[in-house]
Amino acid sequence: MDKLLITGGNRLNGEITISGAKNAALPILCASLLTADPIYLENVPGLKDIGTTLRLLSQLGVQSERSGPGQLQLSAAQVTSLEAPYELVKTMRASILVLGPLLARFGEARVSLPGGCAIGQRPVDQHIKGLEAMGAEIRIEHGFVVATAKRLKGASILTDMVTVTGTENLMMAAALAEGQTILENAAREPEIVDLAELLNKMGARIQGHGTDRIVIDGVDSLHGASHRVVADRIEAGTFLCAVGAAGGDIVLRQAAAATMGAILDKLREAGLVIECGEDWIRGTMTQRPRATGFRTREYPGFPTDMQAQLMALNAIADGTAVIVENIFENRYMHVQELGRMGANIEIDGHTAVVTGVAQLSGATVMATDLRASASLVIAGLAASGDTVVERIYHLDRGYERMEEKLRSVGANIQRLTQEAA
């Protein structure tokens, strides 16, 4: 099992190219099921979760072909199976996103219920509620969601909670439904906007994406399209936290500052000097960070996917920060590992009180989930001595060549393979 070895103390200087967003690419890959025509994609990140999704789509009969770095062609002209098995779904909960497209285009789907998730519950009941409102007959049997519908009908759907994957699944299903569907309390994330823009290129009629009310007028069929996946705002935010912790001056290329308002606001509060252009962000840090409290919220609020990284920055900040996690009930598992490095963090329910220390010390720590992994890397860059981050397969799910990108701007970081470790 690979590990990362980080020797802290180096300032970060130079340029990093931001990859396409994992959370945009996953539903976009699933959207290929909605048409028999080819879908051409650019800026698809090379991640484990992308590979898992492509294996799932291949099992359904979707053909994929890479034509260059980040370039992918998908064809669902000959779908041979309508079942997403547990072996693949259990490794990545986003696999539930094949449910809506399969049901909308083929009238049936059999998708395994996702397994447990380290950071908390992510129920699919809102997906089911919405599809049933559109006329689907759904039952749960032997661990599978089994859904059938002659043709989905437009409906007005108010979800009980804001759900990103739920909004994506229902939006894809509604694109081929008969009549108009209105999604109320819809998620507003940039990744949903990116999916809607692809669907509209395919011939869908979607309005309101980016707001909490999305209106979809169903069409009889969709056609092929070309699309470039939006930049990963979480990857960009992670590297900005890294320069905030280690100090230095970095420029992020192919970044989308327009999607990162809450993240950039908090990093400025922490003392980063940030400049932005249409497709670049520059972050400069010449001082000790300032403690910066925040509450995680649905977009456009501060994202839960950046909570662990900003906590790592607060761990060495001047002052005390209060952090409230409102999205997932078990997303503080990195706290114990940061504590091994000398961080002063107290947890009370959903609240973390972080009192900054002047210096963290390197230690062997264990990654527990994707964003926790990133927080430990950030802490290691700022710590004295060596830090070893174990279980970095979590990191590889959502960051493309993270250690290479950090090394290119001066970090002393290397991957230890199982043989070398």
Side-chain angles (χ1 to χ4, degrees):
M1 203 175 291
D2 289 2
K3 307 174 183 180
L4 287 180
L5 171 62
I6 305 164
T7 302
N10 288 12
R11 294 171 66 82
L12 306 181
N13 293 283
E15 295 189 358
I16 292 174
T17 299
I18 298 301
S19 300
K22 172 181 83 89
N23 290 339
L26 296 178
I28 281 172
L29 293 178
C30 296
S32 66
L33 289 164
L34 289 166
T35 178
D37 295 343
I39 301 293
Y40 301 92
L41 301 175
E42 293 184 351
N43 207 32
V44 179
L47 303 169
K48 279 193 174 181
D49 277 8
I50 298 295
T52 300
T53 302
L54 290 176
R55 285 197 302 276
L56 172 58
L57 292 175
S58 175
Q59 191 149 327
L60 299 175
V62 179
Q63 295 182 326
S64 63
E65 180 181 340
R66 295 187 183 275
S67 52
Q71 298 179 330
L72 196 61
Q73 177 181 331
L74 298 166
S75 173
Q78 297 180 344
V79 170
T80 55
S81 171
L82 302 178
E83 178 175 312
Y86 178 67
E87 303 84 72
L88 288 171
V89 175
K90 71 177 180 180
T91 64
M92 191 188 63
R93 299 184 59 90
S95 303
I96 195 70
L97 288 168
V98 301
L99 176 61
L102 286 175
L103 185 59
R105 182 173 164 209
F106 299 101
E108 59 181 292
R110 181 180 166 86
V111 180
S112 172
L113 284 167
C117 179
I119 59 174
Q121 295 297 314
R122 301 190 189 187
V124 299
D125 58 327
Q126 299 303 302
H127 304 236
I128 294 171
K129 172 186 173 181
L131 292 172
E132 286 180 333
M134 298 167 70
E137 293 185 7
I138 299 179
R139 62 188 188 277
I140 309 296
E141 62 179 33
H142 307 299
F144 281 82
V145 179
V146 181
T148 56
K150 286 185 177 179
R151 186 180 179 187
L152 295 172
K153 309 285 187 183
S156 182
I157 302 168
L158 172 63
T159 54
D160 299 336
M161 55 186 284
V162 177
T163 161
V164 174
T165 54
T167 299
E168 291 164 345
N169 232 342
L170 297 175
M171 188 166 66
M172 288 189 283
L176 287 179
E178 181 182 341
Q180 186 177 84
T181 299
I182 299 174
L183 302 181
E184 303 275 10
N185 201 27
R188 301 165 60 184
E189 271 71 4
E191 295 79 16
I192 285 171
V193 174
D194 206 38
L195 172 62
E197 289 178 355
L198 166 67
L199 293 173
N200 281 344
K201 290 176 185 176
M202 294 167 66
R205 298 170 60 194
I206 303 173
Q207 303 177 66
H209 40 290
T211 76
D212 61 4
R213 187 177 189 270
I214 302 176
V215 179
I216 307 107
D217 289 300
V219 296
D220 290 335
S221 64
L222 296 173
H223 52 70
S226 299
H227 185 73
R228 181 178 176 83
V229 177
V230 70
D232 194 326
R233 60 196 172 101
I234 305 302
E235 184 193 27
T238 298
F239 286 128
L240 290 173
C241 282
V243 76
D249 184 352
I250 64 172
V251 176
L252 306 179
R253 299 294 181 190
Q254 296 182 27
T259 66
M260 296 177 60
I263 299 171
L264 298 181
D265 286 349
K266 285 299 173 184
L267 289 172
R268 288 188 175 106
E269 282 184 35
L272 265 83
V273 176
I274 294 176
E275 305 170 66
C276 302
E278 185 175 342
D279 62 353
W280 60 269
I281 303 171
R282 181 181 181 184
T284 308
M285 193 65 159
T286 58
Q287 64 185 59
R288 183 181 178 188
R290 293 189 293 267
T292 306
F294 60 93
R295 294 171 174 263
T296 62
R297 300 276 190 204
E298 294 88 358
Y299 193 86
F302 190 88
T304 182
D305 278 356
M306 280 298 303
Q307 176 255 106
Q309 299 92 308
L310 193 52
M311 182 183 285
L313 186 60
N314 274 312
I316 58 165
D318 183 12
T320 298
V322 177
I323 297 171
V324 181
E325 173 57 61
N326 288 307
I327 307 299
F328 291 119
E329 69 274 13
N330 196 24
R331 205 162 197 176
Y332 282 145
M333 290 187 294
H334 48 283
V335 169
Q336 184 173 349
E337 302 303 304
L338 289 171
R340 288 176 51 78
M341 302 177 69
N344 183 353
I345 306 171
E346 296 182 7
I347 302 294
D348 183 8
H350 293 280
T351 301
V353 179
V354 186
T355 302
V357 298
Q359 179 80 66
L360 296 173
S361 59
T364 297
V365 290
M366 182 179 68
T368 52
D369 63 68
L370 170 54
R371 306 308 173 183
S373 311
S375 75
L376 299 176
V377 171
I378 292 165
L381 294 171
S384 63
D386 291 345
T387 296
V388 176
V389 183
E390 298 185 337
R391 292 192 182 178
I392 60 166
Y393 58 85
H394 291 292
L395 197 73
D396 294 335
R397 286 185 48 228
Y399 291 94
E400 186 175 26
R401 299 178 291 103
M402 182 188 232
E403 74 278 7
E404 293 179 29
K405 292 184 179 185
L406 285 170
R407 199 159 51 239
S408 75
V409 294
N412 188 341
I413 180 172
Q414 59 182 303
R415 179 180 291 253
L416 305 178
T417 62
Q418 191 168 17
E419 295 76 24

